Amino acid sequence: MGSVRGRSWRRDRENRGWLRGAPPPWWVRVLPVLLLVAVGSATFLTPDARDLGFLLGAIPPLAVLSYGPLTTGLLGAGVLLVLVLPATHLNRPGNTDLLTIVFVAALSVFVSYVRSHRDAQLDSERAIGEAVQRAVLPPLPRRVGRVGCTGFYRAAQDGTLVGGDFFDVRAGPYGVRAVMGDVQGHGLSSVATVVSLLGAFREAALDQPDLESVAARMDRRLTVDSADVRHPELFATALLLEFATGTAAVRVVACGHPTPVLLHGGQARELAVAPGPPLGIGLVGVDAPKEVTVALGAGDRLFLASDGVWEARDAADAFYPLRERLAALAGSPSAELPEAVWADLLRRRYEVRDDATMLVLAPDPPSP
């Protein structure tokens, strides 16, 4: 079990982010070398291949994408060598052609030098950003008290580890308490609100005797944070759970967030939880969220997901049938279930338009 947020982000960066500093795909790295070998060999073997000589001019710029200045310079020298050797049948290029290739090769070396320094700076900034964001949402441990935990996080804004969703699981004097929330908006602009709400939850989880009081503390934190905003429209949905010591039940408080799905054997059903208003919305006359207690059996698991998963849409604009798909995937171990749901989303070509967050909680039966 544990968190798969970091693994997912790194894999996504490798697949889609190579132009922003991550290593390029293997075929981009080998293309300049293959092109030099292919054109050189062809021109050596037959004079009919002389028309391929124009491809040599593309090799130094291609090398910039993958190599440092030294290797880029060596490939540029290789291009010049192929051009001037009589055996290549390239008809002895004129001085203008040679000067053009020399200029392109030298310019490519300079660009490669600048890119290498830029990539080093980006790597340093990314490492700092990862450290800060992991301090906000550290990876979940495999277990918290008697509850097994598996978390999944995929931020909607590419290249970030934290967006508008958050979750945490903490042990305290009242048992193991968990939270999943979704702040209005997504991306780095919502991280400050995520930090405030997580701080309020972690403190209240230790002090407050019930989940309703924990929700009230988080609501107050959000209300205070938005008090000085000129046009306050700050709110968040949240789902709070408590696995009290010595009981085979879970207590749930829902503040505008999708309800948990109970996995029992091969079945999946949404818990009947009394819906409450989102945090920070300040609706006059609306009742506060109510705590609901749900009995759990041996082997039962709770699956929590954010709107990004529930509201994923296919080409026909139909929502992803999460409950039905969970029933089909219920045989997956808890540690693999979020990844299985994510793979199912991609395989069925559903578009995820928001941060995608999933949390699997598997409590052990209470000790006698």
Side-chain angles (χ1 to χ4, degrees), residues 208-286:
Q208 300 302 320
D210 54 69
L211 289 181
E212 295 170 352
S213 300
V214 176
R217 179 75 66 85
M218 297 174 67
D219 179 77
R220 186 182 68 178
R221 177 72 270 168
L222 199 56
T223 302
V224 171
D225 288 347
S226 61
D228 297 329
V229 180
R230 187 171 184 179
H231 301 289
E233 297 178 352
L234 190 60
F235 66 90
T237 64
L239 195 61
L240 298 165
L241 297 91
E242 177 184 285
F243 301 90
T245 304
T247 64
V250 60
R251 296 168 182 156
V252 184
V253 167
C255 303
H257 199 84
T259 58
V261 177
L262 175 63
L263 302 178
H264 177 77
Q267 299 179 338
R269 67 177 178 87
E270 296 179 50
L271 295 184
V273 178
L279 302 175
I281 203 166
L283 293 178
V284 178
V286 175

Side-chain angles (χ1 to χ4, degrees), residues 40-65:
S41 300
T43 53
F44 267 110
L45 294 175
T46 172
D48 296 331
R50 69 184 63 176
D51 293 336
L52 298 176
F54 76 94
L55 294 174
L56 295 173
I59 292 176
L62 285 174
V64 171
L65 297 175

